Amino acid sequence: MKFRSLLVNVLAILILLSMTACSSTGSSSKNNSSKDGDGVVEVTYWHMWTGDWKKLIDDLVNEFNESHPNIRVKALSIAGDADSKFLTAQAGGNPPDVMTQWNQVIPSWAEKGAILSLEEYISGSAPELKDWMYPVVAEIGSYKGEMYAVPFSMDAFAMFYNKDVFKEVGLDPENPPKTIEELDAMQDQLWKMDSRGLIDRVGFMPGGITLWGPAFGSQWADADGNITATHENNLQALQWFESYTKKYDPMKVASFNKSMGDNTINSTWPFLGEKTVFDVDGMWRLLDLEKYAPDLDYGVIPLPYPEDNGKPNSSWVGGNYNIIPKGAKHPEEAWEFILWLTGYKNEDWAGEMLPKGGWIPASPKITETAGYQDFMNEIPARKVFVDLFNSDNVQITPVIPVQQYYWDRLESAEESVMTGKSTSEKALEEVQKEVEKEMQKVK
């Protein structure tokens, strides 16, 4: 009797699993879509924003819901390791219908089959979408010739500098550094120590090898997708980073960074409190300056570059990309939400919306709208960031299936160099071996 009871339970579980699988597979909302009693399709939306940006996303979702009475998007901010949470949900057959995430995940998730190719949706309702975007934007969202992700905002990085501190030490605030060599010389005059010999203000400390790589003409992978971590230009950039560990005590720098805290969003950005004189960051920081330090006199410039064969007007660029998971219950409604967010064929609205987050448009057609032009003219420094999308010296993360792993390993290599635990040569050689090994696993 115990065996028969067990058999019945097992059969019941198998039937339940079968029914669950049938209800969660496939890519067409015609097969999967379920509606509330009022006929409204509920779309689950995951994103990674917190703080002030979460409030903005909530407002955007409410606006979409009000203008699309047949769809109700429910937004959820995913704190912590959003990537792992997504892959777990997707593997378990219960993913969100749409998710916004940084673009580094696109090749890996596409290779795993965790997200849908959007080609069918693009050809059906947005055939001009790729030409409508900045070319680099479409490139970031594509993998093996197909588009898997569409952004609604983009990021570029430039250098902020404090004009007040320039004046304090006798530097011309209207003559910021253009080259790496000029930056090295100027920033050395800007450090301040307290009575205990600890750092009270940093002139400049390199950080983010992937952000600075484009200024050196970095190459992280060749045209065939082979890893080139040890490329001479990459080495030159990291050796420049390393040179700062010989000028400034890594232990004191680490102590200073710890005192600033790990969370430097919004009002806690050290630049606002004049704890750093030079800082590399995105255009959204202009909103922080306006809100939290309206009296701070600052400037924004493209990243300085090496005098010898350096690349002016360079930047790493990326963005906030939207994907539809494989197994999403409402992909068609998710696609409608994605197109609305990106501003496709709705440029005037996007030109008014994107300034609220300090974001850069995915399309020059949005940049050209009156609303977005007014936004740039309000604070001329914004033009520095937007113009980078027309530069030949911007770079993206190599479109390879180990993209995120590669960037994580480079971050670790940078840390080991900046704390004096490794040399630039050894650190990049280790990255080369690690990422090649990971690529072999994928293949």
Side-chain angles (χ1 to χ4, degrees):
M1 292 296 292
K2 290 182 178 179
F3 175 79
R4 181 179 298 176
S5 177
L6 178 62
L7 181 60
V8 170
N9 288 337
V10 170
L11 287 173
I13 291 171
L14 289 174
I15 291 170
L16 180 60
L17 288 173
S18 174
M19 293 172 64
T20 302
C22 289
S23 68
S24 62
T25 56
S27 62
S28 172
S29 64
K30 294 177 182 177
N31 295 327
N32 299 324
S33 181
S34 60
K35 298 183 179 181
D36 294 339
D38 58 2
V40 176
V41 175
E42 188 171 280
V43 171
T44 304
Y45 170 44
W46 286 9
H47 64 82
M48 69 294 185
W49 279 286
T50 58
D52 291 349
W53 290 293
K54 179 185 179 300
K55 297 175 186 175
L56 174 55
I57 295 301
D58 288 341
D59 289 343
L60 286 174
V61 167
N62 289 336
E63 184 178 351
F64 176 84
N65 289 339
E66 289 173 3
S67 60
H68 295 73
N70 296 325
I71 303 173
R72 183 182 297 119
V73 174
K74 290 188 67 176
L76 181 64
S77 175
I78 304 299
D81 190 353
D83 293 359
S84 294
K85 291 177 181 177
F86 166 77
L87 291 174
T88 299
Q90 196 276 331
N94 191 33
D97 295 300
V98 60
M99 182 176 184
T100 304
Q101 186 55 294
W102 309 122
N103 57 270
Q104 284 94 332
V105 302
I106 297 168
S108 173
W109 290 0
E111 183 70 25
K112 294 176 189 295
I115 57 178
L116 297 180
S117 167
L118 302 178
E119 291 297 321
E120 177 183 349
Y121 300 101
I122 292 171
S123 61
S125 59
E128 300 172 356
L129 180 64
K130 296 177 187 177
D131 292 334
W132 176 82
M133 296 175 172
Y134 287 105
V136 71
V137 173
E139 183 182 358
I140 292 171
S142 300
Y143 183 65
K144 293 184 176 179
E146 296 189 17
M147 183 163 278
Y148 282 84
V150 173
F152 78 90
S153 64
M154 299 301 298
D155 303 324
F157 292 82
M159 174 167 273
F160 294 79
Y161 72 98
N162 187 314
K163 291 186 177 183
D164 290 330
V165 178
F166 264 48
K167 297 171 189 174
E168 176 189 316
V169 301
L171 291 173
D172 181 359
E174 305 308 321
N175 188 27
K178 294 182 177 63
T179 67
I180 291 293
E181 290 76 9
E182 290 174 351
L183 172 62
D184 289 343
M186 286 185 187
Q187 72 82 33
D188 198 40
Q189 306 174 54
L190 303 172
W191 289 66
K192 181 185 287 187
M193 313 300 283
D194 65 17
S195 59
R196 298 168 296 170
L198 299 177
I199 299 169
D200 185 55
R201 183 179 71 200
V202 167
F204 170 72
M205 179 60 66
I209 188 63
T210 54
L211 297 181
W212 279 98
F216 289 78
S218 60
Q219 184 195 93
W220 302 108
D222 63 21
D224 297 321
N226 299 308
I227 306 304
T228 58
T230 54
H231 190 279
E232 60 182 351
N233 292 356
N234 305 342
L235 179 60
Q236 182 188 1
L238 193 53
Q239 285 177 331
W240 174 58
F241 275 44
E242 188 178 4
S243 70
Y244 273 69
T245 67
K246 296 175 173 60
K247 292 193 284 187
Y248 307 103
D249 185 342
M251 296 298 291
K252 288 185 178 180
V253 172
S255 177
F256 173 82
N257 290 336
K258 186 176 181 180
S259 71
M260 294 296 100
D262 295 329
N263 190 350
T264 59
I265 65 171
N266 304 134
S267 62
T268 55
W269 184 30
F271 185 80
L272 299 174
E274 300 192 348
K275 291 297 183 180
T276 57
V277 183
F278 287 102
D279 212 326
V280 176
D281 219 312
M283 190 172 75
W284 59 86
R285 289 298 195 184
L286 294 169
L287 293 177
D288 291 340
L289 283 158
E290 186 176 33
K291 184 174 182 179
Y292 301 110
D295 297 326
L296 194 153
D297 192 8
Y298 67 92
V300 180
I301 56 174
L303 297 188
Y305 52 90
E307 289 179 356
D308 185 18
N309 297 319
K311 305 295 182 182
N313 296 313
S314 68
S315 180
W316 175 86
V317 298
N320 311 306
Y321 277 72
N322 289 303
I323 55 90
I324 300 177
K326 183 178 180 182
K329 296 177 179 62
H330 308 298
E332 291 183 6
E333 289 80 7
W335 173 246
E336 189 170 348
F337 179 57
I338 287 173
L339 268 192
W340 180 83
L341 274 179
T342 204
Y344 180 69
K345 301 296 185 181
N346 194 17
E347 292 88 354
D348 288 338
W349 170 82
E352 299 286 347
M353 178 274 289
L354 290 168
K356 296 176 183 178
W359 290 314
I360 299 172
S363 168
K365 291 186 180 296
I366 299 175
T367 305
E368 294 162 4
T369 64
Y372 204 82
Q373 287 294 311
D374 288 344
F375 171 67
M376 288 197 296
N377 292 334
E378 182 184 20
I379 300 178
R382 289 170 176 152
K383 195 171 187 301
V384 175
F385 295 91
V386 178
D387 283 352
L388 288 169
F389 279 82
N390 296 310
S391 171
D392 292 332
N393 291 328
V394 296
Q395 291 186 3
I396 67 172
T397 309
V399 185
I400 54 177
V402 295
Q403 194 179 81
Q404 186 63 62
Y405 176 82
Y406 196 172
W407 253 220
D408 290 343
R409 299 320 304 147
L410 284 171
E411 185 178 319
S412 295
E414 177 186 328
E415 182 181 0
S416 68
V417 169
M418 297 305 286
T419 54
K421 297 176 182 177
S422 180
T423 65
S424 299
E425 293 88 344
K426 289 181 179 178
L428 289 179
E429 287 170 2
E430 188 65 24
V431 171
Q432 181 80 26
K433 293 175 184 176
E434 291 171 338
V435 181
E436 284 181 344
K437 185 177 180 180
E438 192 70 14
M439 280 286 283
Q440 288 301 316
K441 289 181 184 178
V442 173
K443 292 178 180 179

